[in-house]
Amino acid sequence: MSPHQVPANAARGTVSEDLIIRSGHVVTMDPGLGDIPDGDVLLTGGRIAAVGAGLDAAALGAPQARELDARGMIVAPGLVETHWHLWNTLLRSMSGGMPGEDRPAGYFPVSLGLGQVFTGQDNYHGTLLACAEAINSGITTVHDWSHNVRGPAHAEAELRALAEAGLRARYSYGYSAGHPNDQVMDTGGLRALHRGWKTGAGAGGLLTLGVACRGPGGSNPAMRVPPGVYQREMATARELGLPVTVHASGPPAAAGQIAALAGAGLLGPDLQVVHANSASAAEIAQLAEAGCAVSLSPFSELLIGYGLPQTAELLAAGIRVGLSVDTTALTGNADMFAIMKLTQGLINATAHQEFACTARQALALGTIEGARSLGLDAVTGSLTPGKRADIILVATGHPNLGVLTDPAGLLVTAAQPGNVDTVLANGQILKRGGALVTLDGERITAQAREALAGIRSRAA
Ligand SMILES: [Zn+2]
């Protein structure tokens, strides 16, 4: 095998060549380092060894470092996504139903209905399609909020896809589509996965395990999960020392979910709450007091009618906030550039001020703050020496860019996934010259189409 080939099933991150990214506009997102307009980033052993202008790789102990020319490119931390149901990417843009079908439309009927006929292999194809899109879009960390674990094979298949993709991921093991509200999720399966979780299963440290629990409202505002059920699920996660994530979804009629969690003593710094659009001021104070993180997915929250994200209120309370895709069955794509731009726009619109949120602050939410919200900020989220090499190079030569003005402004308001030239996760090159390197995009999309055809025929 030549050094350029990567075995299809390699647990990436175990072998990384030394690289030096040369002469890019480096946006470190590290307040101590700032931006370096003609900067270099040296990568050794999959980590960031040095950041600066005119780095001497040999003097820094990496004489063999291969150069990646970044002239005309913005070099930035890989984007950090914090809540995404990767499996249902096979149902992309299906929330409105399909032409000629009278099946009830809407995100929950579609994903719950079709989700129940997903095989483990379908979860694999959905997750891999999502990973391919993530890499293409410059996302290097995902939080795989897995709520269609229909058995051990489903979880195993999703983890296999994540390991093949080479992304950094929190895999939050959850329940399944259509799981009865009054029954606890498969905590035995969770315990077995946790027992077997070791460096090998974690793909060289790229994968970490978490638990996707149902809170009082499940993930669907129409769900009502009894306290005894969600309390047992969360207690199991805590007994295992795993981070927990729950949805607090829905329009104002579904408010009070965070207060219920607080009342049961279930809030804590290991808890990520998703959406929280209807959180009251008192509930936001409870989240802040307990040190919880919140994941916001403005596109899905707007499209499904949950209302506006309370981004400014959460940030003002000192809560760790990350941005998320949620589900492409509803939002269509995983464009974190657009998610950052929408986040900035919604904060400014609500405040009636142009700079209530700057592009730089929105970029922080999509990088270092997202990492902090997942407890991964010591590892990723900024171009800080010592962190793992999760990096994107964004080419500015395309017509939608073309000039190199404020790099944060360009990334948040102008850049699109197609501008992402190069993606590295853990020092491995996953995209180069605008093309996927380690994944076969054509094969993945062909298999996704085939898997969806099978799902639809079984559900018919
Ligand atoms: Zn969700």
PDB file of all heavy atoms in Angstrom, residues 83 85 247 275 326, ligand 1:
ATOM      1  N   HIS A  83     -25.166  18.738  18.178  1.00  0.00           N
ATOM      2  CA  HIS A  83     -26.390  17.895  18.361  1.00  0.00           C
ATOM      3  C   HIS A  83     -26.960  17.584  16.988  1.00  0.00           C
ATOM      4  O   HIS A  83     -27.459  18.465  16.297  1.00  0.00           O
ATOM      5  CB  HIS A  83     -27.386  18.636  19.268  1.00  0.00           C
ATOM      6  CG  HIS A  83     -28.839  18.525  18.880  1.00  0.00           C
ATOM      7  ND1 HIS A  83     -29.552  19.590  18.362  1.00  0.00           N
ATOM      8  CD2 HIS A  83     -29.727  17.499  18.953  1.00  0.00           C
ATOM      9  CE1 HIS A  83     -30.792  19.235  18.132  1.00  0.00           C
ATOM     10  NE2 HIS A  83     -30.939  17.975  18.470  1.00  0.00           N
ATOM     11  N   HIS A  85     -28.866  14.243  14.700  1.00  0.00           N
ATOM     12  CA  HIS A  85     -29.358  12.876  14.562  1.00  0.00           C
ATOM     13  C   HIS A  85     -28.867  12.348  13.204  1.00  0.00           C
ATOM     14  O   HIS A  85     -29.603  12.374  12.218  1.00  0.00           O
ATOM     15  CB  HIS A  85     -30.878  12.853  14.680  1.00  0.00           C
ATOM     16  CG  HIS A  85     -31.379  13.638  15.870  1.00  0.00           C
ATOM     17  ND1 HIS A  85     -31.140  13.239  17.164  1.00  0.00           N
ATOM     18  CD2 HIS A  85     -32.038  14.812  15.961  1.00  0.00           C
ATOM     19  CE1 HIS A  85     -31.653  14.124  18.006  1.00  0.00           C
ATOM     20  NE2 HIS A  85     -32.193  15.095  17.296  1.00  0.00           N
ATOM     21  N   HIS A 247     -33.446  16.700  25.192  1.00  0.00           N
ATOM     22  CA  HIS A 247     -34.159  17.779  24.521  1.00  0.00           C
ATOM     23  C   HIS A 247     -35.081  18.477  25.516  1.00  0.00           C
ATOM     24  O   HIS A 247     -35.657  17.827  26.386  1.00  0.00           O
ATOM     25  CB  HIS A 247     -35.042  17.233  23.395  1.00  0.00           C
ATOM     26  CG  HIS A 247     -34.312  16.762  22.181  1.00  0.00           C
ATOM     27  ND1 HIS A 247     -33.839  15.482  22.052  1.00  0.00           N
ATOM     28  CD2 HIS A 247     -33.975  17.402  21.029  1.00  0.00           C
ATOM     29  CE1 HIS A 247     -33.255  15.349  20.857  1.00  0.00           C
ATOM     30  NE2 HIS A 247     -33.319  16.494  20.223  1.00  0.00           N
ATOM     31  N   HIS A 275     -32.185  22.893  22.559  1.00  0.00           N
ATOM     32  CA  HIS A 275     -33.217  23.865  22.152  1.00  0.00           C
ATOM     33  C   HIS A 275     -33.525  24.883  23.263  1.00  0.00           C
ATOM     34  O   HIS A 275     -33.123  26.018  23.168  1.00  0.00           O
ATOM     35  CB  HIS A 275     -34.521  23.200  21.690  1.00  0.00           C
ATOM     36  CG  HIS A 275     -34.380  22.249  20.558  1.00  0.00           C
ATOM     37  ND1 HIS A 275     -33.675  22.552  19.409  1.00  0.00           N
ATOM     38  CD2 HIS A 275     -34.840  20.973  20.375  1.00  0.00           C
ATOM     39  CE1 HIS A 275     -33.723  21.519  18.577  1.00  0.00           C
ATOM     40  NE2 HIS A 275     -34.420  20.543  19.141  1.00  0.00           N
ATOM     41  N   ASP A 326     -29.016  19.393  14.112  1.00  0.00           N
ATOM     42  CA  ASP A 326     -30.221  18.695  14.568  1.00  0.00           C
ATOM     43  C   ASP A 326     -30.590  17.569  13.601  1.00  0.00           C
ATOM     44  O   ASP A 326     -30.310  16.408  13.865  1.00  0.00           O
ATOM     45  CB  ASP A 326     -31.377  19.673  14.786  1.00  0.00           C
ATOM     46  CG  ASP A 326     -32.559  19.053  15.522  1.00  0.00           C
ATOM     47  OD1 ASP A 326     -32.544  17.828  15.761  1.00  0.00           O
ATOM     48  OD2 ASP A 326     -33.506  19.790  15.866  1.00  0.00           O
TER      49      ASP A 326
HETATM   50 ZN    ZN B   1     -32.754  16.951  18.184  1.00  0.00          ZN
END
